[in-house]
Amino acid sequence: MLLKPNLSWEKNQGITLPVVQATATIEGNNLRFDFTVEEPLDCFRSEVKCDNGNSWEDSCVEVFLENPTNPREYYNFEITSRGFILAAVGECRECRAKLGEAALASIIRKKELASIAGDLICWGIAVLIPPSIFGLENFDGITLKGNLYKCGDKAKTPHYLSAFPINTEKPDFHRPEFFQKIL
């Protein structure tokens, strides 16, 4: 799926935006999300150097998923171009609990080395999330709702894209009412 900008958001207006393709599949016993990103140099930032850092400030792709074992909650997995991840769960933006080191270590990240093509930086990442993150043994018979995002809040040119529309006045990814079926 192609991630798209909400052009009514002022921050997305008048700029050259990244192009992001994403896929969601089941691989073995894991959820797999693949992202391919081509972004203008002004949109690229890579400063975060650890897991559970402020990933949204860097060039980042994000997977937000309704908790299949408790639909009142949702998970956010925010992955930088370097493969660092912020992961949390909760019912709203203000009530998030970050996942611990063991849970983060169970999330496989396969990154592609970034390359420059003209005035674009091209990078990709695959993220494999095990069912144990959600307290499940497998994903058999599970329908997953969520949204996929691309952002870079502290890039020279901040930008915001999503797989499914978010009908708000300004960028706001913590909006589970706009989640749609991913798998």
Side-chain angles (χ1 to χ4, degrees):
M1 65 188 77
L2 180 67
L3 277 59
K4 301 164 280 304
N6 180 333
L7 293 176
S8 68
W9 291 343
E10 186 176 332
K11 291 191 179 220
N12 281 340
Q13 295 174 3
I15 63 172
T16 303
L17 291 157
V19 175
V20 182
Q21 286 284 344
T23 59
T25 58
I26 301 285
E27 180 180 288
N29 200 31
N30 296 307
L31 291 176
R32 180 178 176 132
F33 296 91
D34 287 276
F35 293 90
T36 302
V37 179
E38 294 179 0
E39 61 187 321
L41 295 174
D42 284 355
C43 291
F44 186 78
R45 182 179 189 268
S46 182
E47 299 296 325
V48 172
K49 296 181 176 129
C50 63
D51 283 342
N52 275 338
N54 294 347
S55 58
W56 68 91
E57 295 177 351
D58 273 4
S59 291
C60 173
V61 291
E62 303 182 352
V63 176
F64 278 48
L65 296 171
E66 180 180 87
N67 184 349
T69 61
N70 179 1
R72 290 189 324 251
E73 296 179 328
Y74 65 95
Y75 283 81
N76 57 298
F77 304 92
E78 305 177 10
I79 310 96
T80 70
S81 65
R82 288 183 176 183
F84 295 114
I85 189 168
L86 164 69
V89 62
E91 292 186 13
C92 63
R93 172 194 309 278
E94 294 79 23
C95 49
R96 316 292 303 142
K98 289 183 179 176
L99 302 188
E101 288 182 33
L104 293 178
S106 74
I107 301 170
I108 299 167
R109 295 155 258 175
K110 299 178 181 181
K111 60 184 177 169
E112 293 177 20
L113 191 58
S115 61
I116 297 176
D119 63 348
L120 296 175
I121 292 188
C122 306
W123 59 279
I125 194 146
V127 181
L128 288 83
I129 304 170
S132 59
I133 293 289
F134 306 100
L136 299 169
E137 290 186 27
N138 58 57
F139 293 106
D140 294 345
I142 299 289
T143 298
L144 288 171
K145 288 175 60 178
N147 208 341
L148 307 178
Y149 308 114
K150 164 70 176 86
C151 65
D153 284 31
K154 287 207 173 173
K156 185 175 180 182
T157 302
H159 54 278
Y160 305 90
L161 296 93
S162 63
F164 306 119
I166 304 166
N167 298 316
T168 58
E169 289 184 28
K170 60 184 181 177
D172 187 356
F173 292 166
H174 288 266
R175 300 298 292 262
E177 67 267 31
F178 298 113
F179 288 178
Q180 294 185 31
K181 183 180 175 186
I182 291 181
L183 281 174

